[in-house]
């Protein structure tokens, strides 16, 4: 039995969960989210918790059990607390600035790169070397942060580029001059 799938998802006060037609909808103070559920999974809810059940122990159903529970839990957490990713910029002259709702990056290319966030995602730049991506949908926040990071991935020799705050970049030693000729 799935250890994750077995656990009930508690519904905090101020959050509404509705299940119908293969879709789970979650409403809370930070927004509304919905997720289509695989037809094999059975999702039940009283007003205190949500339970996910599977019909049998086939491989596909075992895999979907924990996944479905995790997706619904992420929706509940997203509409109550929200998710955020913090990006750091390293490199001389590398910086970020707000341009409208989007973020404008100066990261060593001839032109500046502008990233417009999708609906439900907010971007703030507290200082020129920090970008804060926040929103209710964990997947969308992570995807947008990954797109911003992909504009200039951290390189291993000098460490320049855009990285997640918790990310550590493995540094490489550069070419060494042949001293013994």
């Amino acid at each position: 039995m799935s250890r994750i799938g077995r656990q009930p998802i508690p519904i905090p006060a101020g959050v509404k969960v509705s299940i119908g037609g293969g879709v789970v909808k979650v409403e809370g103070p930070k927004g509304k989210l919905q997720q289509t559920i695989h037809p094999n999974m059975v999702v039940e809810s009283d007003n205190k918790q949500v339970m996910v059940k599977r019909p049998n122990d086939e491989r596909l159903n075992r895999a979907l059990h924990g996944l479905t529970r995790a997706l619904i839990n992420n929706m509940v957490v997203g509409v109550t607390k929200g998710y955020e990713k913090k990006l750091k910029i390293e490199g001389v002259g590398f910086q970020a600035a707000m341009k409208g709702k989007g973020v404008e990056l100066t990261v060593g290319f001839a032109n500046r790169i502008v990233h417009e966030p999708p609906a439900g995602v907010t971007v703030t730049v507290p200082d020129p070397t920090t970008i804060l991506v926040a929103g209710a949908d964990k997947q969308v926040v992570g995807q947008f942060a990954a797109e911003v990071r992909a504009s200039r991935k951290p390189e291993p020799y000098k460490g320049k580029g855009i990285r997640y705050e918790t990310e550590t970049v493995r540094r490489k030693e550069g070419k060494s001059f042949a001293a013994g000729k």
Side-chain angles (χ1 to χ4, degrees):
M1 192 77 183
S2 170
R3 292 186 192 157
I4 300 291
R6 272 191 306 205
Q7 298 172 0
I9 305 163
I11 301 174
V15 175
K16 271 199 295 187
V17 177
S18 59
I19 302 159
V23 176
V24 175
K25 295 180 183 177
V26 181
E27 258 185 82
K30 298 243 181 202
K32 298 178 189 177
L33 296 174
Q34 69 177 24
Q35 180 74 44
T36 305
I37 301 301
H38 193 278
N40 291 2
M41 293 297 106
V42 177
V43 181
E44 299 168 342
S45 170
D46 54 7
N47 289 333
K48 294 183 177 99
Q49 63 185 11
V50 177
M51 287 295 293
V52 179
K53 295 180 181 166
R54 63 180 186 219
N56 54 35
D57 284 344
E58 286 182 19
R59 186 178 181 89
L60 174 68
N61 292 334
R62 288 193 319 240
L64 287 171
H65 191 202
L67 170 72
T68 304
R69 191 252 178 222
L71 290 173
I72 295 169
N73 187 55
N74 287 345
M75 290 169 34
V76 171
V77 172
V79 297
T80 53
K81 298 176 187 166
Y83 289 99
E84 73 175 33
K85 292 260 185 188
K86 202 178 224 180
L87 299 162
K88 295 299 259 176
I89 302 173
E90 284 194 25
V92 177
F94 286 18
Q95 61 183 358
M98 292 299 294
K99 184 167 189 176
K101 288 186 178 181
V103 63
E104 182 180 62
L105 303 171
T106 307
V107 286
F109 296 116
N111 297 321
R112 294 184 173 140
I113 302 167
V114 178
H115 288 284
E116 291 293 329
V121 174
T122 58
V123 179
T124 54
V125 181
D127 62 83
T129 60
T130 306
I131 304 168
L132 200 65
V133 181
D137 192 339
K138 186 176 188 177
Q139 192 271 328
V140 176
V141 168
Q143 181 64 39
F144 183 71
E147 288 169 7
V148 171
R149 180 184 178 272
S151 323
R152 188 68 161 207
K153 290 182 184 170
E155 55 96 17
Y157 296 102
K158 292 184 180 177
K160 292 163 57 169
I162 303 172
R163 68 184 77 191
Y164 297 111
E165 185 183 40
T166 57
E167 180 180 10
T168 55
V169 177
R170 269 187 69 195
R171 300 293 292 270
K172 291 183 179 178
E173 191 176 321
K175 291 182 181 178
S176 57
F177 184 69
K181 275 194 167 182

